[in-house]
Coordinates of all heavy atoms in Angstrom, one line a residue:
T81 N -1.7 14.2 -5.9 CA -3.0 13.5 -5.9 C -3.4 13.1 -4.6 O -4.6 12.7 -4.3 CB -2.9 12.2 -6.8 OG1 -1.9 11.3 -6.3 CG2 -2.6 12.5 -8.2
G82 N -2.5 13.1 -3.6 CA -2.9 12.8 -2.2 C -3.2 11.3 -2.1 O -2.6 10.5 -2.8
G83 N -4.0 10.9 -1.2 CA -4.3 9.5 -1.0 C -3.4 8.7 -0.2 O -3.5 7.5 -0.2
G84 N -2.5 9.3 0.6 CA -1.7 8.6 1.5 C -0.5 8.0 0.8 O -0.1 8.4 -0.3
G85 N 0.1 7.0 1.5 CA 1.3 6.4 0.9 C 2.6 6.8 1.6 O 3.6 6.2 1.3
I86 N 2.5 7.8 2.5 CA 3.8 8.3 3.0 C 4.1 7.7 4.4 O 5.3 7.7 4.8 CB 3.8 9.9 3.1 CG1 5.2 10.4 3.3 CG2 2.8 10.4 4.2 CD1 5.3 11.8 3.0
G87 N 3.1 7.2 5.1 CA 3.3 6.8 6.5 C 4.4 5.7 6.7 O 5.2 5.9 7.6
W88 N 4.4 4.7 5.9 CA 5.3 3.6 6.1 C 6.8 4.1 5.8 O 7.7 3.8 6.5 CB 5.0 2.4 5.2 CG 5.7 1.1 5.6 CD1 6.5 0.4 4.8 CD2 5.8 0.5 6.9 NE1 7.0 -0.7 5.4 CE2 6.6 -0.7 6.7 CE3 5.2 0.7 8.1 CZ2 6.9 -1.6 7.8 CZ3 5.5 -0.1 9.2 CH2 6.3 -1.3 9.0
H89 N 6.9 5.0 4.8 CA 8.2 5.6 4.5 C 8.6 6.5 5.6 O 9.8 6.5 6.0 CB 8.1 6.4 3.2 CG 7.8 5.7 2.0 ND1 8.7 4.9 1.3 CD2 6.6 5.6 1.3 CE1 8.1 4.3 0.3 NE2 6.8 4.8 0.2
L90 N 7.7 7.2 6.2 CA 8.0 8.1 7.3 C 8.5 7.3 8.6 O 9.4 7.7 9.2 CB 6.8 8.9 7.7 CG 6.9 10.0 8.7 CD1 7.8 11.1 8.2 CD2 5.5 10.6 9.0
I91 N 7.8 6.2 8.8 CA 8.2 5.4 9.9 C 9.6 4.8 9.8 O 10.4 4.9 10.7 CB 7.2 4.2 10.1 CG1 5.8 4.7 10.6 CG2 7.7 3.1 11.0 CD1 4.7 3.7 10.5
H92 N 9.9 4.4 8.6 CA 11.3 3.9 8.3 C 12.4 5.1 8.4 O 13.5 4.8 8.9 CB 11.4 3.2 7.0 CG 10.9 1.8 7.0 ND1 11.8 0.8 7.3 CD2 9.7 1.3 6.8 CE1 11.1 -0.4 7.3 NE2 9.8 -0.1 7.0
A93 N 12.0 6.3 8.1 CA 12.9 7.4 8.1 C 13.2 7.8 9.5 O 14.3 8.2 9.9 CB 12.3 8.5 7.3
L94 N 12.2 7.7 10.4 CA 12.3 8.2 11.8 C 12.9 7.2 12.8 O 13.4 7.6 13.8 CB 11.0 8.8 12.3 CG 10.4 10.0 11.6 CD1 9.0 10.3 12.1 CD2 11.4 11.2 11.7
C95 N 12.7 5.9 12.5 CA 13.1 4.9 13.4 C 14.4 4.3 13.2 O 14.9 4.2 12.0 CB 12.0 3.7 13.3 SG 10.4 4.3 13.8
D96 N 15.1 3.9 14.2 CA 16.4 3.3 14.1 C 16.3 1.9 13.6 O 17.1 1.4 12.9 CB 17.1 3.2 15.5 CG 17.5 4.6 15.9 OD1 17.7 5.5 15.1 OD2 17.8 4.8 17.2
Q97 N 15.2 1.2 14.0 CA 14.9 -0.2 13.5 C 13.4 -0.3 13.4 O 12.6 0.2 14.2 CB 15.4 -1.2 14.5 CG 16.9 -1.4 14.6 CD 17.2 -2.5 15.6 OE1 16.9 -2.4 16.8 NE2 17.7 -3.6 15.1
V98 N 13.0 -1.1 12.4 CA 11.6 -1.5 12.1 C 11.6 -3.0 11.8 O 12.4 -3.4 11.0 CB 11.0 -0.7 11.0 CG1 9.6 -1.1 10.7 CG2 11.1 0.8 11.2
S99 N 10.7 -3.7 12.5 CA 10.5 -5.1 12.1 C 9.1 -5.5 12.3 O 8.3 -4.9 13.1 CB 11.4 -6.0 13.0 OG 11.1 -5.9 14.3
V100 N 8.6 -6.5 11.5 CA 7.3 -6.9 11.5 C 7.3 -8.4 11.8 O 8.0 -9.2 11.1 CB 6.6 -6.7 10.2 CG1 5.1 -7.2 10.2 CG2 6.6 -5.2 9.9
V101 N 6.5 -8.9 12.8 CA 6.5 -10.3 13.1 C 5.0 -10.7 13.0 O 4.2 -10.5 13.9 CB 7.0 -10.5 14.6 CG1 6.9 -12.0 15.0 CG2 8.3 -9.9 14.8
P102 N 4.7 -11.4 11.9 CA 3.3 -11.9 11.7 C 3.1 -13.2 12.3 O 4.1 -14.0 12.4 CB 3.2 -11.9 10.2 CG 4.6 -12.1 9.6 CD 5.5 -11.5 10.7
D103 N 1.9 -13.5 12.6 CA 1.5 -14.9 13.0 C 0.0 -15.1 12.5 O -0.5 -14.2 11.8 CB 1.6 -15.1 14.5 CG 0.8 -14.2 15.4 OD1 -0.4 -13.8 15.0 OD2 1.2 -13.9 16.5
E104 N -0.6 -16.2 12.9 CA -1.9 -16.5 12.3 C -3.0 -15.6 12.8 O -4.1 -15.5 12.2 CB -2.2 -18.0 12.6 CG -2.4 -18.3 14.1 CD -1.1 -18.6 14.8 OE1 0.0 -18.7 14.1 OE2 -1.1 -18.6 16.1
R105 N -2.8 -14.9 13.9 CA -3.8 -14.0 14.5 C -3.6 -12.5 14.2 O -4.4 -11.7 14.5 CB -3.8 -14.2 16.0 CG -4.3 -15.5 16.5 CD -4.3 -15.7 18.0 NE -3.2 -15.0 18.6 CZ -2.0 -15.6 18.9 NH1 -1.8 -16.8 18.6 NH2 -1.1 -14.9 19.6
G106 N -2.5 -12.2 13.5 CA -2.2 -10.8 13.2 C -0.7 -10.5 13.1 O 0.1 -11.4 12.6
K107 N -0.3 -9.4 13.6 CA 1.2 -9.1 13.5 C 1.6 -8.1 14.6 O 0.7 -7.3 15.1 CB 1.6 -8.5 12.1 CG 1.0 -7.2 11.8 CD 1.4 -6.7 10.5 CE 0.6 -5.5 10.0 NZ -0.8 -5.7 9.8
D108 N 2.8 -8.1 14.9 CA 3.4 -7.1 15.8 C 4.4 -6.3 14.9 O 5.2 -6.8 14.2 CB 4.3 -7.7 16.9 CG 3.4 -8.4 18.0 OD1 2.3 -7.9 18.3 OD2 3.8 -9.5 18.5
V109 N 4.2 -5.0 15.0 CA 5.2 -4.1 14.3 C 6.0 -3.5 15.5 O 5.5 -2.8 16.4 CB 4.4 -2.9 13.5 CG1 5.4 -2.0 12.9 CG2 3.5 -3.6 12.5
H110 N 7.3 -3.7 15.4 CA 8.3 -3.2 16.4 C 9.1 -2.1 15.8 O 9.6 -2.2 14.7 CB 9.2 -4.3 16.8 CG 8.6 -5.5 17.4 ND1 8.5 -5.6 18.8 CD2 8.1 -6.6 16.9 CE1 7.8 -6.7 19.1 NE2 7.6 -7.4 18.0
V111 N 9.1 -1.0 16.5 CA 10.0 0.1 16.0 C 10.8 0.6 17.2 O 10.4 0.6 18.4 CB 9.2 1.3 15.4 CG1 8.5 0.8 14.2 CG2 8.2 1.9 16.4
F112 N 12.0 1.0 16.9 CA 12.9 1.6 18.0 C 13.3 3.0 17.6 O 13.7 3.2 16.4 CB 14.2 0.7 18.1 CG 13.9 -0.7 18.6 CD1 13.5 -1.7 17.8 CD2 14.1 -0.9 20.0 CE1 13.3 -3.0 18.3 CE2 13.8 -2.2 20.5 CZ 13.4 -3.2 19.6
L113 N 13.1 3.9 18.5 CA 13.4 5.3 18.2 C 14.3 5.9 19.3 O 14.3 5.4 20.4 CB 12.1 6.1 18.3 CG 11.1 5.8 17.2 CD1 9.9 5.1 17.8 CD2 10.6 7.1 16.5

Side-chain angles (χ1 to χ4, degrees):
T81 60
I86 197 167
W88 194 237
H89 298 286
L90 186 65
I91 289 166
H92 278 271
L94 295 174
C95 297
D96 291 338
Q97 286 183 295
V98 178
S99 63
V100 180
V101 181
D103 62 33
E104 65 279 350
R105 296 180 319 270
K107 68 179 166 296
D108 291 322
V109 179
H110 297 268
V111 297
F112 294 84
L113 296 107

